[in-house]
Amino acid sequence: MTDITIINAQSIVTMDDTRRELAGCDIRISNGVITEIGPNLPRSGTVVNAEYCVVTPGLVNTHHHLYQTLTRAVPGGQDALLFGWLQTLYPIWARFGPDEMRVSAQVGLAELALSGCTLSSDHLYLYPNGARLEDTIDAARSVGLRFHPTRGAMSIGVSAGGLPPDDLVEAEAAILNDCIRVIDAFHDPAEGSMCRVGIAPCSPFSVSRELMRDAALLARDKGVMLHTHLAENDEDIAYSLEKFGCRPGQYAQDLGWTGDDVWHAHCVKLDISEIDLFARTRTGVAHCPCSNCRLGSGIAPVRAMRDAGVTVGLGVDGSASNDAGNLVSEARLSMLLQRVANGADAMSAREALEIATRGGADVLGRPDCGRIAVGKRADIAIWDVSGIESAGSWDPAALLLAGPTRVKHLLVDGRAVVTDGQIATLDLPALIAEQNMLSMQLME
């Protein structure tokens, strides 16, 4: 692998253990690892000029449904709450197959890359018409992002009292067997891994308690992480109280779904006791502010979570409930919502950026990512702050207050994924044309 030297950075926001910010420094990279940081380093290999740029760790996306990129702004779901939104979209998703899964994932990952994301999880919980998890894994390889797909599932259809249609659910034995298959085939636990696989039953209202418990046992046996949706909105809380006789936090704890190998999406409606439970057990949270706004779910108590010691990362959620996949914009919205809820001093631009980088890496169990430090992976975003978005800014490193939302250069494991603001790994116009064709077919 070619060595790389990033030179002349205006500012390096390291997110290292002491949160250093360095001016006028260079970064040397070898074999995908950061080997040296400092002023006037010897130039070797490929030289990337970061003059007039702020350099940050690559952003980390902790919750997505990449298949939904094909179903943005669907009219019947534009103004619906969560359950009604799902019921509008389930019949459309039932028509998907491997091509739809692959193309949608490629587009979604390319969009994330352009917003500075180097590591993304994905929660794929439906597998119609021969679709498989590897459709998304192949997509991530083609784009070049570090990937943490999760083998999701739904097992309780509408005829059994669940929300999804019966043709989108699977038998629970088949779900567990396929979890074993994809872990054995694709999960790489090594430091610097480009692909780790998790287990992710969709939600408490689409799988049984038995599957949740069995999934937790299997994940611990295989040494992989667990992920699901939890406490997303008031309907979610009401369902848990009615069906399980407890709040979502207690439900998760009873079934083995707390610990540093677990992260839950949304958690908008966690109460104080549940926040304390997550802090004590080091259970992670994927905060998805735009989706929570779009679906009217509420403002997640991120300030209270962070103050209690909960590990929090950011997620864009699926593009059918966000309509975009821009992670730096998501970080800005997270900051603004905490200020709306708690005051203008509730969250700084730098803390929100920390959640989007180091925080997300920690949620996904990746201390090798999310920070710029010697020995860490070379997942690096370079932001041009010489443009109109930053004009007049007294603090260019405060990117979320006044800065670009599209990255200039993006390196993943020392490889160029974005160069001069363009995806370096794909024919993006051809990919967009393919996605548009598939979308038109789904509308027919």
Side-chain angles (χ1 to χ4, degrees):
M1 185 181 295
T2 304
D3 289 353
I4 296 171
T5 309
I6 300 171
I7 64 170
N8 298 330
Q10 179 172 327
S11 178
I12 301 173
V13 183
T14 66
M15 294 300 168
D16 65 7
D17 290 346
T18 59
R19 310 305 192 269
R20 290 183 302 158
E21 294 186 14
L22 309 173
C25 285
D26 306 332
I27 303 171
R28 294 185 69 188
I29 298 163
S30 182
N31 295 319
V33 175
I34 298 167
T35 58
E36 193 173 0
I37 304 169
N40 304 312
L41 297 181
R43 302 181 182 188
S44 61
T46 301
V47 175
V48 178
N49 189 355
E51 190 176 15
Y52 307 119
C53 293
V54 172
V55 179
T56 71
L59 277 55
V60 178
N61 179 36
T62 61
H63 185 65
H64 208 327
H65 307 295
L66 285 165
Y67 74 90
Q68 293 180 10
T69 314
L70 274 173
T71 49
R72 303 190 210 240
V74 172
Q78 288 180 13
D79 304 314
L81 297 176
L82 175 63
F83 283 16
W85 171 83
L86 284 169
Q87 288 167 334
T88 297
L89 287 160
Y90 279 143
I92 301 172
W93 295 335
R95 299 172 58 195
F96 278 34
D99 287 345
E100 286 79 6
M101 295 297 187
R102 173 185 55 81
V103 171
S104 191
Q106 282 181 309
V107 171
L109 291 165
E111 185 179 14
L112 283 170
L114 290 169
S115 75
C117 178
T118 52
L119 165 60
S120 181
S121 66
D122 185 44
H123 187 187
L124 181 57
Y125 54 81
L126 46 82
Y127 298 86
N129 305 311
R132 301 191 298 174
L133 190 68
E134 46 263 53
D135 299 325
T136 61
I137 294 172
D138 290 343
R141 285 176 180 154
S142 70
V143 178
L145 290 199
R146 206 179 295 277
F147 200 39
H148 198 135
T150 60
R151 206 301 182 182
M154 299 189 293
S155 63
I156 300 179
V158 66
S159 65
L163 196 67
D166 290 339
D167 57 356
L168 281 179
V169 302
E170 302 172 87
E172 294 189 348
I175 291 166
L176 294 170
N177 284 336
D178 198 55
C179 287
I180 294 169
R181 180 187 71 82
V182 295
I183 292 167
D184 289 348
F186 301 107
H187 178 67
D188 178 5
E191 182 171 330
S193 166
M194 291 296 291
C195 183
R196 292 186 182 174
V197 177
I199 297 177
C202 182
S203 63
F205 53 81
S206 59
V207 300
S208 71
R209 292 174 65 95
E210 290 72 26
L211 181 61
M212 292 290 287
R213 184 180 293 110
D214 289 346
L217 292 171
L218 176 60
R220 266 92 195 214
D221 180 64
K222 288 290 190 179
V224 302
M225 295 189 73
L226 287 162
H227 183 51
T228 193
H229 299 92
L230 199 77
E232 184 170 352
N233 65 6
D234 289 333
E235 292 174 285
D236 212 344
I237 301 298
Y239 185 94
S240 184
L241 291 171
E242 178 187 349
K243 299 294 185 181
F244 310 129
C246 63
R247 287 185 56 85
Q250 185 65 53
Y251 175 85
Q253 184 180 37
D254 289 348
L255 297 177
W257 277 76
T258 56
D260 62 2
D261 57 351
V262 182
W263 85 104
H264 295 284
H266 302 298
C267 297
V268 175
K269 299 298 180 178
L270 292 188
D271 66 15
I272 295 300
S273 66
E274 291 166 322
I275 291 172
D276 178 66
L277 169 66
F278 279 29
R280 286 187 287 105
T281 57
R282 298 171 62 197
T283 304
V285 169
H287 173 44
C288 306
C290 186
S291 175
N292 297 158
C293 289
R294 164 79 152 73
L295 294 173
S297 300
I299 301 174
V302 174
R303 180 72 277 151
M305 291 181 197
R306 294 265 299 172
D307 289 347
V310 177
T311 305
V312 180
L314 278 186
V316 299
D317 206 0
S319 287
S321 67
N322 183 323
D323 307 301
N326 188 304
L327 197 52
V328 72
S329 294
E330 206 78 32
R332 174 178 167 84
L333 181 59
S334 176
M335 173 189 69
L336 295 178
L337 285 175
Q338 293 310 300
R339 293 182 178 212
V340 168
N342 303 295
D345 59 351
M347 182 170 288
S348 70
R350 282 169 170 79
E351 183 178 9
L353 184 63
E354 178 180 327
I355 293 170
T357 54
R358 184 186 180 106
D362 290 347
V363 164
L364 296 181
R366 297 301 302 258
D368 54 339
C369 303
R371 53 274 268 166
I372 295 175
V374 172
K376 303 300 182 182
R377 307 310 299 187
D379 291 4
I380 295 173
I382 302 176
W383 308 88
D384 185 352
V385 292
S386 67
I388 190 69
E389 306 95 337
S390 301
S393 174
W394 289 30
D395 183 8
L399 289 168
L400 303 185
L401 292 176
T405 57
R406 185 163 175 152
V407 78
K408 181 177 183 180
H409 303 301
L410 190 73
L411 302 178
V412 180
D413 219 50
R415 302 180 183 91
V417 173
V418 177
T419 301
D420 291 323
Q422 303 296 320
I423 292 288
T425 52
L426 294 172
D427 182 347
L428 197 54
L431 179 60
I432 293 170
E434 188 175 6
Q435 164 136 329
N436 288 339
M437 178 192 69
L438 291 173
S439 291
M440 291 297 294
Q441 291 173 355
L442 289 168
M443 293 178 196
E444 294 174 355

